[in-house]
Amino acid sequence: MPSLSWNMSNLQWAPFVITCDTTPNNSLEDGLRISRKDVNFEDAGLWLPMIRYWRLELFMIPASIFVFVTLLADPLIFICILSSRKLRQETRYLLLANALFADIVFLIFNLVLSASNMAGLHLQKLLCEGLLIVEVTTYCTGILTITLMVLDTYLAVRWPLHYMNLLPSSRAKKIVVGIWILAAVYPVTIMIALEMLDSIEWEEQKVCLMLLTLDSRTLGKEMVIAIHVYFSLGVMLCSLLIFYCYIRLYRITKMSGVWQNRYSRAKMTLLSHTIMLLLYFSPGLVFTIEIFLFQHYPVKLDIRVWMNIININLLVLVPRAFFPYLYGLRYREISDSIRGLFRRRRTSQITSIS
């Protein structure tokens, strides 16, 4: 039987199907046949060889560092908000706690999926679908929660006297539940459609990625177009709402005179929040571009893999690593609450020793 060796010339364009006729009368050149078909780029098992060739598993090192840095602060701030009755009564802290919780769950599931894909583990169908549903739901929840945090800030500045009537804590809790339900509609609908269509054998699914399920062969062109419209409209509405609120906040604070100082707190806060929001929305934009390019253009396989790995292991992690430090610890109430927790712990340790 002739042996096959991986050559980058065989991995230039995706999607490919590689087959080999192993009959003794055929040479290796005749046996190796590459043909283009309407299949996902991992169907021929090219995903893992490409990762091994480019050593892309090394991206797990910065990904693990970002996850570790984020999980140092996120659970601490989340516990401080839930343990303080005063903080739980304020809408901004409830929304912040919801965003932190969504990021914690997202980071854990994203790291599990990335590690399993890098290692080449073949996950069961139900397990893969469940992980993807949780990952996409928590990602969308974080985006929607941050959008409402900006809207909450705008309402507090624009109508300070009526703010408590507009967004009390009881209404904020219902809004949080609605966010999770709305965020789950997108992935759950796709998975239900996949189960109903059942157009692809699960043995062919060698990598567990949401991107690979959004294919016209699997879902049909009409379903893919509907997903594009749903996702694009959601991102567009959130972006327009955030843009409008920030423009109004800029005008209100400028009229009040807080922008006269070049390094005013309001100016630095608005700048840092704008950068954070751009970082949060950039992975969703890259994901949309991935779907569009892979459906309509013959993008090289190495470009596809590099784009997806960078997006999953870097772009989605960077804003979440900075989020608790820019949004959480900057609040004086949260900082004081964290200091109080450590003081009580130190006091209890000294008392137990004495």
Side-chain angles (χ1 to χ4, degrees):
M1 175 184 292
S3 60
L4 277 176
S5 60
W6 288 104
N7 191 313
M8 285 306 297
S9 62
N10 298 330
L11 298 176
Q12 285 301 313
W13 292 90
F16 285 150
V17 172
I18 300 179
T19 59
C20 183
D21 187 359
T22 57
T23 57
N25 297 328
N26 293 336
S27 62
L28 179 61
E29 289 77 9
D30 297 331
L32 186 61
R33 179 172 52 87
I34 300 178
S35 61
R36 298 178 185 269
K37 289 186 178 181
D38 262 349
V39 294
N40 292 322
F41 57 83
E42 94 291 2
D43 283 352
L46 301 182
W47 178 271
L48 288 177
M50 182 62 71
I51 290 179
R52 300 292 185 268
Y53 181 86
W54 289 108
R55 303 297 301 275
L56 297 181
E57 62 271 10
L58 295 178
F59 274 95
M60 290 299 299
I61 297 176
S64 302
I65 294 174
F66 281 125
V67 171
F68 176 76
V69 171
T70 308
L71 294 182
L72 281 178
D74 276 12
L76 185 61
I77 300 174
F78 181 74
I79 293 173
C80 286
I81 294 175
L82 294 186
S83 60
S84 174
R85 187 174 181 273
K86 179 182 178 182
L87 297 181
R88 291 199 309 268
Q89 297 301 316
E90 295 193 34
T91 301
R92 56 176 176 170
Y93 294 128
L94 285 176
L95 294 176
L96 176 61
N98 187 57
L100 292 173
F101 178 74
D103 284 351
I104 292 171
V105 179
F106 173 82
L107 289 173
I108 294 173
F109 279 77
N110 184 72
L111 186 64
V112 171
L113 279 173
S114 298
S116 62
N117 290 332
M118 293 288 188
L121 299 179
H122 184 74
L123 301 179
Q124 295 182 357
K125 183 177 182 180
L126 292 179
L127 178 59
C128 177
E129 290 180 351
L131 292 175
L132 289 177
I133 288 175
V134 174
E135 184 185 32
V136 178
T137 300
T138 51
Y139 178 83
C140 296
T141 299
I143 295 295
L144 293 174
T145 304
I146 290 177
T147 303
L148 287 180
M149 289 174 64
V150 177
L151 179 61
D152 174 73
T153 304
Y154 169 71
L155 294 176
V157 175
R158 183 65 177 84
W159 294 289
L161 299 179
H162 304 283
Y163 170 73
M164 294 304 297
N165 295 327
L166 292 173
L167 277 178
S169 59
S170 58
R171 185 172 297 173
K173 294 176 183 177
K174 297 178 182 178
I175 292 175
V176 167
V177 175
I179 289 175
W180 282 93
I181 295 175
L182 181 61
V185 170
Y186 174 64
V188 171
T189 303
I190 295 175
M191 294 307 169
I192 292 176
L194 288 174
E195 290 293 331
M196 294 177 62
L197 295 173
D198 196 22
S199 59
I200 184 171
E201 294 295 333
W202 184 250
E203 286 72 15
E204 300 179 26
Q205 189 79 12
K206 294 181 173 60
V207 181
C208 185
L209 286 175
M210 192 66 181
L211 176 66
L212 305 183
T213 64
L214 305 180
D215 182 71
S216 58
R217 185 195 69 157
T218 306
L219 295 175
K221 292 183 179 180
E222 294 78 8
M223 187 66 179
V224 172
I225 293 175
I227 292 172
H228 275 290
V229 173
Y230 177 86
F231 193 77
S232 301
L233 284 179
V235 173
M236 188 180 301
L237 289 176
C238 291
S239 302
L240 289 177
L241 182 59
I242 291 174
F243 182 75
Y244 172 78
C245 291
Y246 271 159
I247 291 297
R248 294 293 298 169
L249 285 172
Y250 170 76
R251 292 181 177 179
I252 294 172
T253 52
K254 187 176 182 180
M255 291 176 60
S256 63
V258 298
W259 290 85
Q260 294 179 0
N261 184 4
R262 183 181 178 184
Y263 300 103
S264 65
R265 179 180 174 85
K267 184 181 294 186
M268 299 305 295
T269 299
L270 185 59
L271 178 61
S272 62
H273 287 191
T274 303
I275 296 175
M276 279 294 302
L277 289 171
L278 290 175
L279 292 175
Y280 255 96
F281 277 87
S282 61
L285 178 61
V286 173
F287 181 73
T288 305
I289 295 174
E290 283 183 275
I291 299 174
F292 181 78
L293 290 179
F294 297 172
Q295 294 293 332
H296 299 86
Y297 295 95
V299 183
K300 289 185 178 180
L301 176 62
D302 51 355
I303 296 178
R304 296 183 180 207
V305 176
W306 271 92
M307 182 181 291
N308 188 263
I309 294 297
I310 292 175
N311 194 30
I312 291 176
N313 293 280
L314 286 181
L315 296 184
V316 298
L317 303 180
V318 171
R320 287 164 177 81
F322 288 100
F323 180 80
Y325 303 98
L326 290 179
Y327 277 82
L329 297 179
R330 65 179 293 271
Y331 289 115
R332 185 175 302 173
E333 295 86 349
I334 293 179
S335 300
D336 294 341
S337 179
I338 293 176
R339 294 192 191 97
L341 286 177
F342 283 105
R343 288 197 195 100
R344 287 196 296 268
R345 184 177 180 182
R346 185 180 302 175
T347 303
S348 62
Q349 290 177 351
I350 294 175
T351 305
S352 61
I353 293 175
S354 60

